[in-house]
Amino acid sequence: MSRYKSLELFKFGVYVTIPILLVGAIVYRPENLEAIIRNRSYVVYPPEAPRPPSAEQLQELLKKQK
């Protein structure tokens, strides 16, 4: 086997093995996945704004304005 084929086999082995090991690390230790999720907060929601008035409150406001 030539030197380049050995290198290609090594690269392919790494390419296949690393994802399998990462999935195994997540499946057998779920706290790893939880730590990753807590560490990387991709979606940051803004603080909640005051709620709009309900239908009853709007009707009362309209009655007061008349």
Side-chain angles (χ1 to χ4, degrees), residues 21-36:
L21 292 177
L22 289 176
V23 169
I26 292 172
V27 168
Y28 291 116
R29 297 191 65 193
E31 60 270 8
N32 290 342
L33 179 61
E34 292 172 14
I36 291 169

Side-chain angles (χ1 to χ4, degrees), residues 41-51:
S41 57
Y42 294 109
V43 178
V44 178
Y45 295 101
E48 189 172 326
R51 297 193 181 269

